[in-house]
Amino acid sequence: MAEESAAATPHWHAETAAVRVAVPRTPYGENAEALFLTSGFVQPSAEAAAARFAGQEEGYTYARYGNPTTTSFEQRLAALEGTEAAIATSSGMAAILMLCLGLLKAGDHIVCSRSMFGATIRLIGTDMAKFGVQATFVPQADIDAWRAAVRPETRLLLAETPTNPLTEVCDIAALADIAHRAGAWLAVDNCFATPALQRPAALGADIVVHSGTKYLDGQGRVMAGALCARRALIDETFLPVLRSAGMTLAPFNAWVVLKGLETLHLRLRAQSATALQLAHWLQAHPAVARVYYPGLPSHPQHALAMRQQSGCGGAIVAFDVRADGPEQARARAFAVLDALRTLSLSTNLGDTKTLCSHPASTSHGRLTEAQRQAAGISQGLIRVSVGLEHIDDITADLARGLDALH
Ligand SMILES: *Cc1c(COP(=O)(O)O)cnc(C)c1O
């Protein structure tokens, strides 16, 4: 809706943009960004209203299309991702739906990773399939499989890196090359790394997808989402979808996420540093069979992750408890989770509070055992979204259950 701020402030570092980029202050001179709780906007004249509705003149009309608080969030996120523009949505899934409705039609084909977020797999593999959009799901880190899956009708490659919960990493620049040679778009879900650690657009991605619910808010309060891309793509392809489909971000939620962005860099660096300590501690624990964390040299894509994610592993660590067979593994994982007193047993992620979950029975509970095994989600797997608590309190809470296992 409003003019580009990222381009207008090229001299700012990301940390500065995260607290400074917003629409201009009102005449009252508020220092904290204003929250505009209004669904309609008064028009200066009938002529101006007509021009604004026709898209010939800048100006707010109706909050389904735009609201100044939401614009501030969009401008700030775009500045952090290094894209010309962004468009906010009511949730991360609403952003992926907007991506599909904007770019695809019946007969088109998508290539995406088989270890993507569960709801994304369902949206693309089932819901979009009903409208004649075909999809091929490939192994996340196998670049040759992505290349081989491309067809003449392929319009979109959709990647997520690192993935949830096994933190598999894929090479964004290599995928951009495959997509562009095929005349397709590359969209990257940057939920786990966030622009504080990884900027997919700089590596060639055309669209960056966000669940603002996670690290952008960072304190587990509101649902939000966004797409970041070139101005023309936002204005001509995605804004019309927002206007007709209405997956609009509520102004209050936009304000909360806007303020969350101010501490994004501090949080991600601190939570990532604690996650690395936790990953090392887990790796040394006798009751732990395997640790999944891109910051560990034992991670299969460690070098790529360090190159692509500003030398950080991110704040999600997953691990398998040692066990004989799936039944014992599940019982042991449950015992570790039920022994927690400080950390939260919760399936959200990206909070300042450390959250622990059992993917096989929650986020991936709707899959069959065969699908789960193909995705590498064992019954003994525990996911930890590392928060801002002291590392010793995190390890002490996990040790209570783990120490009792052997
Ligand atoms: C949570 C999540 C989403 C969906 O976001 P919502 O805000 O919950 O709709 C999409 N992608 C990834 C990687 C996620 O973790």
Side-chain angles (χ1 to χ4, degrees), residues 91-93 96 117 160 189 191-192 211 213-214 223-224 349:
S91 69
M93 289 320 300
I96 299 173
F117 188 63
E160 178 190 312
D189 184 332
C191 174
F192 267 44
S211 166
T213 316
K214 313 290 172 52
M223 304 290 300
L349 62 91

Side-chain angles (χ1 to χ4, degrees), residues 75-144:
Q75 291 184 349
R76 192 170 285 182
L77 183 62
L80 296 183
E81 284 291 0
T83 58
E84 288 174 359
I87 187 162
T89 57
S90 53
S91 69
M93 289 320 300
I96 299 173
L97 177 62
M98 176 188 273
L99 177 80
C100 293
L101 291 180
L103 295 181
L104 305 169
K105 61 179 187 321
D108 286 345
H109 174 249
I110 314 182
V111 185
C112 48
S113 159
R114 69 178 182 205
S115 41
M116 294 196 86
F117 188 63
T120 307
I121 291 182
R122 156 93 207 183
L123 175 66
I124 288 170
T126 307
D127 300 317
M128 292 309 295
K130 284 198 301 196
F131 298 96
V133 173
Q134 313 248 307
T136 305
F137 294 91
V138 298
Q140 166 85 357
D142 183 348
I143 206 75
D144 294 330

Side-chain angles (χ1 to χ4, degrees), residues 165-218:
L166 295 178
T167 71
E168 294 171 286
V169 174
C170 62
D171 187 332
I172 297 172
L175 290 182
D177 187 53
I178 293 172
H180 297 155
R181 279 172 198 274
W185 307 100
L186 173 66
V188 174
D189 184 332
N190 202 23
C191 174
F192 267 44
T194 84
L197 304 185
Q198 169 174 283
R199 300 208 306 166
L203 299 169
D206 303 289
I207 302 131
V208 183
V209 180
H210 272 289
S211 166
T213 316
K214 313 290 172 52
Y215 290 102
L216 305 189
D217 170 16

Side-chain angles (χ1 to χ4, degrees), residues 63-88:
R64 174 157 27 89
Y65 314 164
N67 171 297
T69 310
T70 311
T71 305
S72 286
F73 165 61
E74 292 167 343
Q75 291 184 349
R76 192 170 285 182
L77 183 62
L80 296 183
E81 284 291 0
T83 58
E84 288 174 359
I87 187 162

Side-chain angles (χ1 to χ4, degrees), residues 18 73 76-77 80 216 257-264 267:
F73 165 61
R76 192 170 285 182
L77 183 62
L80 296 183
L216 305 189
V257 185
L258 175 74
K259 301 308 278 181
L261 285 180
E262 295 184 359
T263 54
L264 183 69
R267 284 185 282 107

